[in-house]
Amino acid sequence: GVVPLSKLARQGLDGGPAARAVRILELEALRVELPLVELRVRCSKGTYIRTLAEDIGAALGTGAHLRALRRTASGSFHVRDALPLDAAHELTPEARELRLLPLAALVAGLPRTALDPAAEVRLRKGQALQISGLAEGIVAVVRADGGSSAWAAASRAYYGRCGSPKR
């Protein structure tokens, strides 16, 4: 099976990722207290920050590794908008409900496809569906009335494009 690169790295093994083109949109030194440097990186998906640290160290003629890594944003979601669990527990159920984002927020930027009720039942049972016109990738699956139903992976199959539910 597939072994995550992070697991190999913790075992001291090199299963290094294949080189790929990524974009570093911002690279900012937040604090320099040698030998430690704290950076803020804004990058494209698929960027391995551990590899970026190693590359920066190599460019400086020394070694480098991560001491800590914290994702502060993913897509339109940002940690500054998050509510710590202990703070959530202190809220009333009504106040907590106001802070929760609807499922539609999770799939807002995804391509969408609507299902008729029979197809929705099949998808909810874990069955792959043949849906024409989908591009490969993750898609939002909505009910005929527009309500969010699920998200699925669309992939090219032998007989066309299929939507498989994601869990």
Side-chain angles (χ1 to χ4, degrees), residues 18-56:
R20 70 171 80 181
V22 296
R23 290 180 312 162
I24 304 300
L25 305 168
E26 293 179 32
L27 180 62
E28 177 185 2
L30 299 176
R31 186 172 60 218
V32 177
E33 294 175 11
L34 295 176
L36 302 176
V37 178
E38 182 179 345
L39 300 174
R40 186 177 70 79
V41 179
R42 199 169 137 250
C43 56
S44 64
K45 70 178 186 175
T47 303
Y48 288 96
I49 300 300
R50 284 180 174 82
T51 302
L52 176 63
E54 292 169 2
D55 291 348
I56 290 171

mmCIF file of all heavy atoms in Angstrom, residues 18-56:
data_model
loop_
_atom_site.group_PDB
_atom_site.id
_atom_site.type_symbol
_atom_site.label_atom_id
_atom_site.label_comp_id
_atom_site.label_asym_id
_atom_site.label_seq_id
_atom_site.Cartn_x
_atom_site.Cartn_y
_atom_site.Cartn_z
ATOM 1 N N ALA A 18 8.258 13.069 -5.589
ATOM 2 C CA ALA A 18 8.713 13.395 -6.938
ATOM 3 C C ALA A 18 8.676 14.911 -7.101
ATOM 4 O O ALA A 18 7.793 15.574 -6.573
ATOM 5 C CB ALA A 18 7.796 12.728 -7.961
ATOM 6 N N ALA A 19 9.662 15.438 -7.811
ATOM 7 C CA ALA A 19 9.711 16.885 -8.021
ATOM 8 C C ALA A 19 8.465 17.332 -8.770
ATOM 9 O O ALA A 19 7.984 16.651 -9.673
ATOM 10 C CB ALA A 19 10.964 17.255 -8.811
ATOM 11 N N ARG A 20 7.920 18.470 -8.351
ATOM 12 C CA ARG A 20 6.753 19.036 -9.025
ATOM 13 C C ARG A 20 6.840 20.547 -8.963
ATOM 14 O O ARG A 20 7.502 21.096 -8.083
ATOM 15 C CB ARG A 20 5.463 18.538 -8.393
ATOM 16 C CG ARG A 20 5.246 19.111 -6.998
ATOM 17 C CD ARG A 20 3.882 18.806 -6.452
ATOM 18 N NE ARG A 20 3.852 17.465 -5.927
ATOM 19 C CZ ARG A 20 2.795 16.906 -5.404
ATOM 20 N NH1 ARG A 20 1.668 17.558 -5.360
ATOM 21 N NH2 ARG A 20 2.838 15.692 -4.923
ATOM 22 N N ALA A 21 6.190 21.171 -9.898
ATOM 23 C CA ALA A 21 6.165 22.635 -9.919
ATOM 24 C C ALA A 21 5.179 23.126 -8.868
ATOM 25 O O ALA A 21 4.038 22.673 -8.823
ATOM 26 C CB ALA A 21 5.767 23.134 -11.293
ATOM 27 N N VAL A 22 5.633 24.007 -8.003
ATOM 28 C CA VAL A 22 4.770 24.629 -7.003
ATOM 29 C C VAL A 22 4.999 26.129 -7.072
ATOM 30 O O VAL A 22 5.960 26.594 -7.684
ATOM 31 C CB VAL A 22 5.063 24.101 -5.569
ATOM 32 C CG1 VAL A 22 4.748 22.626 -5.462
ATOM 33 C CG2 VAL A 22 6.490 24.382 -5.163
ATOM 34 N N ARG A 23 4.111 26.869 -6.441
ATOM 35 C CA ARG A 23 4.257 28.319 -6.410
ATOM 36 C C ARG A 23 4.371 28.785 -4.967
ATOM 37 O O ARG A 23 3.534 28.434 -4.140
ATOM 38 C CB ARG A 23 3.066 29.003 -7.084
ATOM 39 C CG ARG A 23 3.040 28.797 -8.582
ATOM 40 C CD ARG A 23 1.862 29.479 -9.222
ATOM 41 N NE ARG A 23 0.679 29.133 -8.439
ATOM 42 C CZ ARG A 23 -0.466 29.794 -8.483
ATOM 43 N NH1 ARG A 23 -0.604 30.824 -9.263
ATOM 44 N NH2 ARG A 23 -1.489 29.421 -7.747
ATOM 45 N N ILE A 24 5.404 29.546 -4.690
ATOM 46 C CA ILE A 24 5.553 30.184 -3.391
ATOM 47 C C ILE A 24 5.059 31.611 -3.595
ATOM 48 O O ILE A 24 5.712 32.417 -4.255
ATOM 49 C CB ILE A 24 7.018 30.163 -2.890
ATOM 50 C CG1 ILE A 24 7.550 28.724 -2.852
ATOM 51 C CG2 ILE A 24 7.126 30.848 -1.531
ATOM 52 C CD1 ILE A 24 6.783 27.790 -1.935
ATOM 53 N N LEU A 25 3.878 31.903 -3.083
ATOM 54 C CA LEU A 25 3.263 33.205 -3.288
ATOM 55 C C LEU A 25 3.830 34.256 -2.345
ATOM 56 O O LEU A 25 3.951 35.419 -2.714
ATOM 57 C CB LEU A 25 1.743 33.087 -3.121
ATOM 58 C CG LEU A 25 1.089 32.034 -4.018
ATOM 59 C CD1 LEU A 25 -0.336 31.765 -3.601
ATOM 60 C CD2 LEU A 25 1.170 32.454 -5.467
ATOM 61 N N GLU A 26 4.151 33.838 -1.123
ATOM 62 C CA GLU A 26 4.773 34.735 -0.141
ATOM 63 C C GLU A 26 5.713 33.914 0.724
ATOM 64 O O GLU A 26 5.409 32.778 1.072
ATOM 65 C CB GLU A 26 3.726 35.384 0.773
ATOM 66 C CG GLU A 26 2.809 36.357 0.076
ATOM 67 C CD GLU A 26 1.767 36.943 1.035
ATOM 68 O OE1 GLU A 26 2.077 37.097 2.245
ATOM 69 O OE2 GLU A 26 0.658 37.230 0.579
ATOM 70 N N LEU A 27 6.851 34.504 1.069
ATOM 71 C CA LEU A 27 7.808 33.890 1.979
ATOM 72 C C LEU A 27 8.342 35.021 2.847
ATOM 73 O O LEU A 27 9.025 35.919 2.366
ATOM 74 C CB LEU A 27 8.941 33.208 1.218
ATOM 75 C CG LEU A 27 10.008 32.515 2.053
ATOM 76 C CD1 LEU A 27 9.402 31.385 2.876
ATOM 77 C CD2 LEU A 27 11.104 31.968 1.150
ATOM 78 N N GLU A 28 7.970 35.008 4.121
ATOM 79 C CA GLU A 28 8.310 36.108 5.016
ATOM 80 C C GLU A 28 9.005 35.581 6.261
ATOM 81 O O GLU A 28 8.532 34.628 6.881
ATOM 82 C CB GLU A 28 7.018 36.844 5.404
ATOM 83 C CG GLU A 28 7.225 37.968 6.381
ATOM 84 C CD GLU A 28 5.900 38.592 6.826
ATOM 85 O OE1 GLU A 28 4.821 38.135 6.407
ATOM 86 O OE2 GLU A 28 5.971 39.544 7.620
ATOM 87 N N ALA A 29 10.128 36.188 6.605
ATOM 88 C CA ALA A 29 10.816 35.853 7.850
ATOM 89 C C ALA A 29 10.130 36.621 8.982
ATOM 90 O O ALA A 29 10.174 37.845 9.018
ATOM 91 C CB ALA A 29 12.290 36.218 7.766
ATOM 92 N N LEU A 30 9.486 35.906 9.869
ATOM 93 C CA LEU A 30 8.790 36.540 10.985
ATOM 94 C C LEU A 30 9.723 36.800 12.159
ATOM 95 O O LEU A 30 9.583 37.798 12.865
ATOM 96 C CB LEU A 30 7.622 35.661 11.453
ATOM 97 C CG LEU A 30 6.535 35.386 10.422
ATOM 98 C CD1 LEU A 30 5.491 34.432 10.996
ATOM 99 C CD2 LEU A 30 5.883 36.678 9.972
ATOM 100 N N ARG A 31 10.670 35.861 12.369
ATOM 101 C CA ARG A 31 11.610 36.017 13.479
ATOM 102 C C ARG A 31 12.890 35.278 13.132
ATOM 103 O O ARG A 31 12.858 34.158 12.622
ATOM 104 C CB ARG A 31 10.991 35.441 14.760
ATOM 105 C CG ARG A 31 11.848 35.687 15.982
ATOM 106 C CD ARG A 31 11.173 35.298 17.266
ATOM 107 N NE ARG A 31 10.828 33.882 17.273
ATOM 108 C CZ ARG A 31 9.718 33.382 17.797
ATOM 109 N NH1 ARG A 31 8.839 34.174 18.353
ATOM 110 N NH2 ARG A 31 9.486 32.095 17.768
ATOM 111 N N VAL A 32 14.016 35.915 13.415
ATOM 112 C CA VAL A 32 15.321 35.291 13.205
ATOM 113 C C VAL A 32 16.081 35.355 14.524
ATOM 114 O O VAL A 32 16.436 36.436 14.989
ATOM 115 C CB VAL A 32 16.120 36.002 12.088
ATOM 116 C CG1 VAL A 32 17.498 35.367 11.937
ATOM 117 C CG2 VAL A 32 15.353 35.984 10.776
ATOM 118 N N GLU A 33 16.260 34.204 15.141
ATOM 119 C CA GLU A 33 17.047 34.060 16.365
ATOM 120 C C GLU A 33 17.931 32.852 16.132
ATOM 121 O O GLU A 33 17.610 31.735 16.557
ATOM 122 C CB GLU A 33 16.142 33.871 17.584
ATOM 123 C CG GLU A 33 15.283 35.085 17.901
ATOM 124 C CD GLU A 33 14.292 34.834 19.039
ATOM 125 O OE1 GLU A 33 14.398 33.796 19.730
ATOM 126 O OE2 GLU A 33 13.411 35.679 19.218
ATOM 127 N N LEU A 34 19.030 33.061 15.400
ATOM 128 C CA LEU A 34 19.873 31.964 14.954
ATOM 129 C C LEU A 34 20.244 31.033 16.103
ATOM 130 O O LEU A 34 20.516 31.507 17.199
ATOM 131 C CB LEU A 34 21.117 32.513 14.265
ATOM 132 C CG LEU A 34 20.835 33.281 12.974
ATOM 133 C CD1 LEU A 34 22.118 33.869 12.406
ATOM 134 C CD2 LEU A 34 20.163 32.406 11.938
ATOM 135 N N PRO A 35 20.119 29.765 15.874
ATOM 136 C CA PRO A 35 19.983 29.089 14.591
ATOM 137 C C PRO A 35 18.535 28.890 14.138
ATOM 138 O O PRO A 35 18.283 28.233 13.146
ATOM 139 C CB PRO A 35 20.635 27.733 14.834
ATOM 140 C CG PRO A 35 20.284 27.441 16.260
ATOM 141 C CD PRO A 35 20.336 28.788 16.960
ATOM 142 N N LEU A 36 17.557 29.496 14.848
ATOM 143 C CA LEU A 36 16.154 29.316 14.485
ATOM 144 C C LEU A 36 15.641 30.461 13.635
ATOM 145 O O LEU A 36 15.980 31.622 13.868
ATOM 146 C CB LEU A 36 15.290 29.191 15.741
ATOM 147 C CG LEU A 36 15.643 28.053 16.698
ATOM 148 C CD1 LEU A 36 14.762 28.113 17.935
ATOM 149 C CD2 LEU A 36 15.516 26.717 15.997
ATOM 150 N N VAL A 37 14.826 30.123 12.659
ATOM 151 C CA VAL A 37 14.177 31.114 11.808
ATOM 152 C C VAL A 37 12.706 30.721 11.703
ATOM 153 O O VAL A 37 12.382 29.573 11.415
ATOM 154 C CB VAL A 37 14.804 31.152 10.391
ATOM 155 C CG1 VAL A 37 14.083 32.140 9.504
ATOM 156 C CG2 VAL A 37 16.287 31.482 10.476
ATOM 157 N N GLU A 38 11.827 31.675 11.977
ATOM 158 C CA GLU A 38 10.391 31.433 11.840
ATOM 159 C C GLU A 38 9.922 32.094 10.551
ATOM 160 O O GLU A 38 10.129 33.292 10.344
ATOM 161 C CB GLU A 38 9.632 32.012 13.035
ATOM 162 C CG GLU A 38 8.146 31.743 12.974
ATOM 163 C CD GLU A 38 7.393 32.296 14.179
ATOM 164 O OE1 GLU A 38 8.026 32.637 15.196
ATOM 165 O OE2 GLU A 38 6.153 32.383 14.089
ATOM 166 N N LEU A 39 9.307 31.288 9.684
ATOM 167 C CA LEU A 39 8.849 31.768 8.384
ATOM 168 C C LEU A 39 7.345 31.663 8.272
ATOM 169 O O LEU A 39 6.724 30.792 8.865
ATOM 170 C CB LEU A 39 9.469 30.933 7.251
ATOM 171 C CG LEU A 39 10.979 30.903 7.139
ATOM 172 C CD1 LEU A 39 11.403 29.919 6.051
ATOM 173 C CD2 LEU A 39 11.517 32.288 6.851
ATOM 174 N N ARG A 40 6.778 32.544 7.456
ATOM 175 C CA ARG A 40 5.383 32.424 7.050
ATOM 176 C C ARG A 40 5.399 32.197 5.553
ATOM 177 O O ARG A 40 6.034 32.957 4.815
ATOM 178 C CB ARG A 40 4.589 33.686 7.372
ATOM 179 C CG ARG A 40 3.083 33.527 7.097
ATOM 180 C CD ARG A 40 2.300 34.769 7.495
ATOM 181 N NE ARG A 40 2.577 35.874 6.597
ATOM 182 C CZ ARG A 40 2.027 36.008 5.380
ATOM 183 N NH1 ARG A 40 1.194 35.112 4.924
ATOM 184 N NH2 ARG A 40 2.325 37.049 4.632
ATOM 185 N N VAL A 41 4.738 31.132 5.114
ATOM 186 C CA VAL A 41 4.736 30.758 3.704
ATOM 187 C C VAL A 41 3.297 30.716 3.208
ATOM 188 O O VAL A 41 2.432 30.136 3.870
ATOM 189 C CB VAL A 41 5.366 29.353 3.501
ATOM 190 C CG1 VAL A 41 5.344 28.958 2.031
ATOM 191 C CG2 VAL A 41 6.767 29.310 4.065
ATOM 192 N N ARG A 42 3.049 31.345 2.090
ATOM 193 C CA ARG A 42 1.777 31.206 1.383
ATOM 194 C C ARG A 42 2.108 30.548 0.066
ATOM 195 O O ARG A 42 2.927 31.068 -0.698
ATOM 196 C CB ARG A 42 1.120 32.568 1.175
ATOM 197 C CG ARG A 42 -0.350 32.451 0.879
ATOM 198 C CD ARG A 42 -1.048 33.815 0.933
ATOM 199 N NE ARG A 42 -1.936 33.846 -0.209
ATOM 200 C CZ ARG A 42 -1.789 34.604 -1.280
ATOM 201 N NH1 ARG A 42 -0.807 35.464 -1.340
ATOM 202 N NH2 ARG A 42 -2.628 34.522 -2.280
ATOM 203 N N CYS A 43 1.513 29.384 -0.193
ATOM 204 C CA CYS A 43 1.949 28.581 -1.331
ATOM 205 C C CYS A 43 0.781 27.877 -2.006
ATOM 206 O O CYS A 43 -0.326 27.818 -1.468
ATOM 207 C CB CYS A 43 2.967 27.549 -0.862
ATOM 208 S SG CYS A 43 2.353 26.489 0.465
ATOM 209 N N SER A 44 1.077 27.309 -3.165
ATOM 210 C CA SER A 44 0.083 26.544 -3.900
ATOM 211 C C SER A 44 -0.095 25.180 -3.250
ATOM 212 O O SER A 44 0.747 24.726 -2.472
ATOM 213 C CB SER A 44 0.519 26.378 -5.351
ATOM 214 O OG SER A 44 1.717 25.623 -5.423
ATOM 215 N N LYS A 45 -1.210 24.528 -3.592
ATOM 216 C CA LYS A 45 -1.434 23.186 -3.061
ATOM 217 C C LYS A 45 -0.346 22.267 -3.597
ATOM 218 O O LYS A 45 0.230 22.508 -4.652
ATOM 219 C CB LYS A 45 -2.822 22.671 -3.426
ATOM 220 C CG LYS A 45 -3.011 22.354 -4.880
ATOM 221 C CD LYS A 45 -4.412 21.796 -5.106
ATOM 222 C CE LYS A 45 -4.580 21.330 -6.542
ATOM 223 N NZ LYS A 45 -5.864 20.693 -6.758
ATOM 224 N N GLY A 46 -0.043 21.238 -2.825
ATOM 225 C CA GLY A 46 0.974 20.287 -3.231
ATOM 226 C C GLY A 46 2.383 20.662 -2.811
ATOM 227 O O GLY A 46 3.325 19.930 -3.085
ATOM 228 N N THR A 47 2.543 21.790 -2.122
ATOM 229 C CA THR A 47 3.867 22.218 -1.672
ATOM 230 C C THR A 47 4.221 21.490 -0.381
ATOM 231 O O THR A 47 3.444 21.479 0.566
ATOM 232 C CB THR A 47 3.890 23.743 -1.417
ATOM 233 O OG1 THR A 47 3.500 24.421 -2.609
ATOM 234 C CG2 THR A 47 5.270 24.207 -0.988
ATOM 235 N N TYR A 48 5.370 20.846 -0.369
ATOM 236 C CA TYR A 48 5.867 20.204 0.845
ATOM 237 C C TYR A 48 6.741 21.210 1.579
ATOM 238 O O TYR A 48 7.847 21.532 1.131
ATOM 239 C CB TYR A 48 6.682 18.953 0.517
ATOM 240 C CG TYR A 48 5.843 17.795 0.034
ATOM 241 C CD1 TYR A 48 5.676 17.551 -1.320
ATOM 242 C CD2 TYR A 48 5.228 16.949 0.946
ATOM 243 C CE1 TYR A 48 4.914 16.490 -1.760
ATOM 244 C CE2 TYR A 48 4.460 15.881 0.517
ATOM 245 C CZ TYR A 48 4.308 15.661 -0.833
ATOM 246 O OH TYR A 48 3.547 14.610 -1.269
ATOM 247 N N ILE A 49 6.261 21.703 2.696
ATOM 248 C CA ILE A 49 6.986 22.734 3.441
ATOM 249 C C ILE A 49 8.289 22.173 4.007
ATOM 250 O O ILE A 49 9.302 22.872 4.058
ATOM 251 C CB ILE A 49 6.092 23.342 4.542
ATOM 252 C CG1 ILE A 49 4.845 23.989 3.923
ATOM 253 C CG2 ILE A 49 6.870 24.358 5.370
ATOM 254 C CD1 ILE A 49 5.151 25.122 2.938
ATOM 255 N N ARG A 50 8.298 20.905 4.392
ATOM 256 C CA ARG A 50 9.547 20.303 4.878
ATOM 257 C C ARG A 50 10.610 20.338 3.777
ATOM 258 O O ARG A 50 11.777 20.619 4.033
ATOM 259 C CB ARG A 50 9.293 18.869 5.329
ATOM 260 C CG ARG A 50 8.598 18.776 6.653
ATOM 261 C CD ARG A 50 8.349 17.328 7.078
ATOM 262 N NE ARG A 50 7.810 17.268 8.423
ATOM 263 C CZ ARG A 50 6.535 17.449 8.725
ATOM 264 N NH1 ARG A 50 5.668 17.692 7.774
ATOM 265 N NH2 ARG A 50 6.130 17.391 9.976
ATOM 266 N N THR A 51 10.205 20.049 2.554
ATOM 267 C CA THR A 51 11.141 20.094 1.424
ATOM 268 C C THR A 51 11.591 21.521 1.168
ATOM 269 O O THR A 51 12.768 21.774 0.873
ATOM 270 C CB THR A 51 10.487 19.487 0.166
ATOM 271 O OG1 THR A 51 10.106 18.146 0.455
ATOM 272 C CG2 THR A 51 11.437 19.507 -1.016
ATOM 273 N N LEU A 52 10.683 22.481 1.297
ATOM 274 C CA LEU A 52 11.049 23.893 1.132
ATOM 275 C C LEU A 52 12.111 24.281 2.160
ATOM 276 O O LEU A 52 13.102 24.940 1.823
ATOM 277 C CB LEU A 52 9.816 24.785 1.277
ATOM 278 C CG LEU A 52 10.066 26.287 1.228
ATOM 279 C CD1 LEU A 52 10.628 26.713 -0.130
ATOM 280 C CD2 LEU A 52 8.770 27.050 1.525
ATOM 281 N N ALA A 53 11.952 23.855 3.412
ATOM 282 C CA ALA A 53 12.944 24.157 4.453
ATOM 283 C C ALA A 53 14.303 23.565 4.087
ATOM 284 O O ALA A 53 15.337 24.224 4.212
ATOM 285 C CB ALA A 53 12.478 23.629 5.806
ATOM 286 N N GLU A 54 14.302 22.318 3.604
ATOM 287 C CA GLU A 54 15.564 21.688 3.196
ATOM 288 C C GLU A 54 16.195 22.444 2.031
ATOM 289 O O GLU A 54 17.413 22.646 2.001
ATOM 290 C CB GLU A 54 15.312 20.230 2.812
ATOM 291 C CG GLU A 54 14.933 19.361 3.993
ATOM 292 C CD GLU A 54 14.418 17.987 3.572
ATOM 293 O OE1 GLU A 54 14.391 17.680 2.367
ATOM 294 O OE2 GLU A 54 14.042 17.210 4.480
ATOM 295 N N ASP A 55 15.380 22.865 1.071
ATOM 296 C CA ASP A 55 15.894 23.622 -0.075
ATOM 297 C C ASP A 55 16.484 24.964 0.344
ATOM 298 O O ASP A 55 17.526 25.382 -0.161
ATOM 299 C CB ASP A 55 14.789 23.840 -1.112
ATOM 300 C CG ASP A 55 14.365 22.564 -1.824
ATOM 301 O OD1 ASP A 55 15.073 21.535 -1.694
ATOM 302 O OD2 ASP A 55 13.313 22.596 -2.500
ATOM 303 N N ILE A 56 15.838 25.639 1.283
ATOM 304 C CA ILE A 56 16.357 26.918 1.776
ATOM 305 C C ILE A 56 17.691 26.684 2.476
ATOM 306 O O ILE A 56 18.659 27.422 2.269
ATOM 307 C CB ILE A 56 15.339 27.606 2.712
ATOM 308 C CG1 ILE A 56 14.135 28.089 1.895
ATOM 309 C CG2 ILE A 56 15.992 28.769 3.465
ATOM 310 C CD1 ILE A 56 12.970 28.581 2.751
#
